[in-house]
Amino acid sequence: MKPDVLRRLLNWYGPYLGAGVKVTYMAKDWRECHVELKLRWYNKNYMGSHFGGSLYSMVDPQYMLMLIKLLGPDYIVWDKAAHIEYIKPGRSRVHAKMSVSDEALADIRHHTEQGDKYLPEFSIDVIDEEGVLVAKVLKTLYVRRKLKM
């Protein structure tokens, strides 16, 4: 599947559609992804700011999907854990950018070359329209290289 096709499919994915999440960019080389979330009546909380679940869901599957494509079929990749810290109420459009560096890929390959599991962590900033940090997400993934028998 091509990155742009996945981007379009994610934008029609029920949980994303229901939360108002939009994937705005997926790099052709699978190294970067941008998402945004506009504040709407259906995704705001009692206090009038972004619902926390929507803020988390906007960054949930991207690293797993990017690593699956970047590492290829010889690797198992799963989401393992996540932690979100709410910094400031989001009351406007928010966005996040996720990227995988050459160093992160080399680190993953190094730690998994003997078939061991590795739990890389990725930090994601959710930023509002004024450039203010709204939330910080720490994603932990499970990665293991499949050993051929």
Side-chain angles (χ1 to χ4, degrees):
M1 180 181 306
K2 294 183 179 185
D4 201 49
V5 172
L6 179 61
R7 182 188 61 77
R8 279 189 241 123
L9 286 174
L10 284 172
N11 286 333
W12 284 99
Y13 179 53
Y16 267 22
L17 203 55
V21 174
K22 185 170 185 184
V23 180
T24 58
Y25 175 75
M26 182 72 75
K28 292 185 187 311
D29 64 359
W30 298 102
R31 299 272 183 138
E32 190 168 332
C33 178
H34 302 179
V35 293
E36 72 174 31
L37 178 63
K38 293 180 182 176
L39 186 63
R40 307 273 191 206
W41 64 269
Y42 54 84
N43 65 10
K44 65 171 124 175
N45 63 25
Y46 184 77
M47 302 303 290
S49 62
H50 280 288
F51 174 66
S54 297
L55 289 172
Y56 171 70
S57 72
M58 72 185 277
V59 299
D60 181 23
Q62 283 81 9
Y63 273 112
M64 181 187 73
L65 296 171
M66 289 190 294
L67 286 179
I68 286 170
K69 293 297 188 178
L70 290 167
L71 294 169
D74 291 339
Y75 288 82
I76 298 168
V77 181
W78 286 93
D79 279 319
K80 173 81 172 147
H83 172 80
I84 185 165
E85 180 182 359
Y86 302 105
I87 309 296
K88 177 184 180 274
R91 292 197 168 90
S92 65
R93 182 184 67 88
V94 295
H95 67 275
K97 295 179 182 178
M98 292 148 280
S99 62
V100 179
S101 67
D102 288 337
E103 295 79 16
L105 281 175
D107 186 54
I108 291 168
R109 287 187 175 111
H110 170 74
H111 282 92
T112 59
E113 64 189 355
Q114 300 301 316
D116 297 323
K117 74 176 181 181
Y118 183 53
L119 305 175
E121 293 184 337
F122 296 91
S123 181
I124 309 160
D125 291 339
V126 178
I127 309 292
D128 72 9
E129 291 178 318
E130 287 77 41
V132 176
L133 182 65
V134 171
K136 213 169 191 31
V137 180
L138 183 65
K139 292 282 300 182
T140 304
L141 281 80
Y142 170 99
V143 182
R144 186 173 60 80
R145 185 169 169 251
K146 299 175 189 174
L147 292 178
K148 297 185 177 164
M149 300 288 172

